[in-house]
Amino acid sequence: MQATVGCTRLTVPTVTKGTTFAPKVTLAHASRPKAASSSRSLALPVVAKADSSSSPEDFDRRAFLRAVSMGAISVASSLAMSEDANALNTYTQPKPFKSDYEKYKDRPGGTVAPMQMARMRSEFRDVAKGDLMDAVPGIQGAYPGLLKLAFMDAGTFDIWKHVKPNGVEPSGGSNGSLRFESDRPEMAPYKDLLKALEPVKVSIDAKWASLAKSKGSPRAPDPISWADLITMAAVVATIQKWGASPEGGFPVRQGRMDAKSSDPSNRTLPFTADLVTARKWFSKRGLKENEMLPLWMELTENTASLRADSKTAARMAVYEADTALFQKDFMHGFTKLTSLGSSFDAYMYFYDESPFLSGNPMPTGMGGPGVQDAYDLKTMG
């Protein structure tokens, strides 16, 4: 009898019933035939033989499994010693936290542990949320003005620009570049909104630095970026317009890095654009119809163009009847648009603290840089 598993074959002679079985397993090695298109061959153990006087019904399965295990071990040994072993390391990358440490060790909070990162993100979110919740109701034209401001900051994203010889880098996006673009005609109605956020930024930065100092940090943490401030302000204004936070909160990723100069002009979509133009613009940036429409319904100054299209008008009626669906699709579209092209700093908003201060052991593979943080505004007031 022959049993085959992968590249290992076990041969068991069939004998007369009643004869005592005394398994004896030996391994024989053979080389896989060299393929015509390959320049190298790898020697693998492929045959396992056993002498037995037992019938198939009485065959000891442990001997079979032992032979398979020995064959697997031999395969691994052959790979490790062969010239093909280097192929196993082709995609090996440095450990993420090791490379992060080298990059961020001199930054505030550069050595904190994953659980501390999660706690500090939550602390920062609460500080920013508290100030924005208090300030936004006092800003004239906060809705939809702050939403339009966030759209104009993110709307400069234009896919990717090529960098010779064969690289790419983000171009535009949600990066706070509006503060360098106040002289542009399209910014005229929104300069006062941007100015109204200046004292809010000062307050958030001061409170965040004070909290870090109270925790024993000798250095002040990073101030809130303009990109994050504009995005979070739009979220607060939107939720206050809705009257309550949607179930599960409104997710906003933190850590957008600010641009150091203005973005290219004539990239944003005019709020007076018709439906056909708007569809092309959003489609180019990867937003689907159900992500584009709720967002554009709140932004457009050309509602007649939407109503003139029968399918769009029907979809708008569905949204008007189902608030939860509208809010869900709106959040998807807003979150995607305000993330495109943005550069995120993995260690932004951390402060100095010993990595051994958290009371519980650090579970491996949890938390860490780049984890999205939910900007949850379930309760108002």
Side-chain angles (χ1 to χ4, degrees):
M1 181 184 71
Q2 291 185 348
T4 303
V5 177
C7 296
T8 304
R9 184 173 67 256
L10 184 66
T11 304
V12 182
T14 303
V15 298
T16 307
K17 187 175 182 179
T19 306
T20 303
F21 173 61
K24 180 180 179 182
V25 180
T26 59
L27 290 175
H29 299 273
S31 297
R32 184 189 297 266
K34 184 182 295 185
S37 60
S38 174
S39 60
R40 297 181 293 183
S41 62
L42 184 63
L44 301 174
V46 296
V47 182
K49 296 183 179 179
D51 295 328
S52 172
S53 57
S54 173
S55 67
E57 292 80 9
D58 296 330
F59 174 65
D60 186 352
R61 294 182 181 179
R62 288 175 296 179
F64 173 81
L65 295 175
R66 190 180 300 114
V68 173
S69 299
M70 291 174 66
I73 293 172
S74 185
V75 168
S77 299
S78 298
L79 280 171
M81 297 177 65
S82 73
E83 60 180 354
D84 290 298
N86 289 332
L88 300 177
N89 298 321
T90 301
Y91 299 103
T92 300
Q93 299 293 336
K95 292 183 178 180
F97 279 97
K98 181 178 179 181
S99 59
D100 285 342
Y101 174 76
E102 294 298 328
K103 184 177 180 180
Y104 296 107
K105 63 182 179 181
D106 296 326
R107 289 277 301 281
T111 59
V112 294
M115 296 295 285
Q116 292 167 300
M117 294 176 182
R119 191 195 76 235
M120 291 178 189
R121 286 192 182 97
S122 179
E123 291 172 347
F124 172 79
R125 178 189 64 217
D126 291 342
V127 169
K129 176 178 69 175
D131 267 28
L132 285 167
M133 292 284 286
D134 292 339
V136 166
I139 298 177
Q140 186 175 4
Y143 193 88
L146 290 173
L147 178 61
K148 290 185 175 182
L149 195 69
F151 178 84
M152 293 177 68
D153 191 32
T156 56
F157 174 69
D158 192 28
I159 314 302
W160 302 89
K161 67 177 182 180
H162 292 280
V163 179
K164 295 181 179 180
N166 56 2
V168 293
E169 67 179 22
S171 177
S174 181
N175 56 19
S177 65
L178 290 180
R179 65 194 193 281
F180 303 115
E181 301 161 6
S182 59
D183 59 336
R184 294 180 180 177
E186 63 269 23
M187 273 294 294
Y190 310 104
K191 286 191 291 186
D192 289 343
L193 288 170
L194 196 61
K195 190 172 182 178
L197 291 178
E198 290 178 358
V200 183
K201 185 181 189 307
V202 171
S203 177
I204 292 173
D205 292 344
K207 290 180 180 179
W208 184 228
S210 177
L211 186 147
K213 185 177 180 180
S214 71
K215 296 294 184 75
S217 176
R219 297 181 292 180
D222 295 313
I224 186 171
S225 67
W226 273 102
D228 276 350
L229 179 64
I230 292 170
T231 303
M232 290 181 176
V235 169
V236 171
T238 300
I239 289 179
Q240 289 184 342
K241 171 64 165 57
W242 290 348
S245 177
E247 183 178 355
F250 198 134
V252 176
R253 187 176 178 183
Q254 299 171 182
R256 291 170 182 79
M257 297 174 64
D258 281 339
K260 298 180 180 180
S261 60
S262 62
D263 282 339
S265 59
N266 300 319
R267 284 187 175 181
T268 56
L269 178 66
F271 297 122
T272 55
D274 59 31
L275 177 60
V276 174
T277 303
R279 274 178 172 159
K280 290 180 180 179
W281 190 92
F282 280 99
S283 177
K284 182 180 179 181
R285 286 152 182 81
L287 272 73
K288 301 176 182 177
E289 183 80 10
N290 66 310
E291 296 168 332
M292 162 263 185
L293 184 57
L295 190 57
W296 193 237
M297 285 170 63
E298 298 298 292
L299 293 168
T300 185
E301 298 171 4
N302 190 357
T303 307
S305 176
L306 302 183
R307 300 286 183 187
D309 183 85
S310 58
K311 290 184 178 180
T312 302
R315 185 67 177 176
M316 291 172 66
V318 172
Y319 282 137
E320 290 165 358
D322 190 340
T323 302
L325 178 62
F326 171 82
Q327 292 178 349
K328 176 185 175 183
D329 287 352
F330 177 94
M331 289 188 297
H332 284 171
F334 179 86
T335 301
K336 180 181 286 189
L337 184 65
T338 54
S339 297
L340 294 173
S342 298
S343 296
F344 288 88
D345 185 340
Y347 278 75
M348 191 176 286
Y349 312 135
F350 295 153
Y351 54 81
D352 292 320
E353 187 177 76
S354 169
F356 305 105
L357 287 182
S358 57
N360 300 319
M362 297 297 113
T364 58
M366 296 183 63
V371 179
Q372 288 202 0
D373 195 17
Y375 191 70
D376 194 350
L377 303 177
K378 289 182 180 179
T379 57
M380 308 293 290

